[in-house]
Amino acid sequence: MKFNWIFSNNADKNLQKQSVELEYRLRPKITKFLMEHLEQECCGDFSCFYFDVDMKTQQVLLSEKTPKNFFDKIKNEFDIQINRPQNLSSVS
């Protein structure tokens, strides 16, 4: 899985460090979600999945670079389970 980090224009070293820490917290949560929803249909390593992480809005979005068949199948549930009701600062 690949993450595209979206920063505001004034991203500093501290924000970039936070993104690395956040990625370590997001990966297990997203992997668990993908295994629950696609394990039988996917190659298992989830390398074809792309995510856009907007640090300003505190949202993780399933990127359209993700294969369409997977994107269409999980896009709604992904947003519900990954982004709501918390924001990125509370990802555990």
Side-chain angles (χ1 to χ4, degrees):
M1 88 182 54
K2 295 169 186 76
F3 290 91
N4 173 40
W5 296 93
I6 303 167
F7 299 102
S8 63
N9 289 341
N10 58 353
D12 60 8
K13 295 271 187 200
N14 187 39
L15 187 57
Q16 291 174 351
K17 181 181 179 213
Q18 288 175 344
S19 68
V20 171
E21 293 170 358
L22 178 59
E23 183 172 342
Y24 280 106
R25 295 193 316 266
L26 282 171
R27 280 186 179 273
K29 184 175 183 177
I30 292 174
T31 299
K32 181 179 177 185
F33 172 85
L34 294 174
M35 288 176 70
E36 289 172 354
H37 291 82
L38 297 171
E39 185 173 31
Q40 302 303 316
E41 302 170 42
C42 195
C43 56
D45 67 359
F46 306 117
S47 60
C48 62
F49 288 86
Y50 292 81
F51 303 94
D52 295 323
V53 184
D54 190 325
M55 296 297 284
K56 184 176 181 179
T57 64
Q58 298 284 291
Q59 296 288 303
V60 180
L61 305 171
L62 185 61
S63 173
E64 291 186 9
K65 290 181 180 180
T66 298
K68 185 170 176 30
N69 59 323
F70 296 137
F71 181 92
D72 290 343
K73 183 168 183 166
I74 65 171
K75 65 181 176 181
N76 294 330
E77 192 66 24
F78 180 85
D79 189 48
I80 292 167
Q81 288 191 26
I82 302 300
N83 289 312
R84 296 184 189 135
Q86 76 278 353
N87 62 25
L88 294 178
S89 61
S90 64
V91 171
S92 56

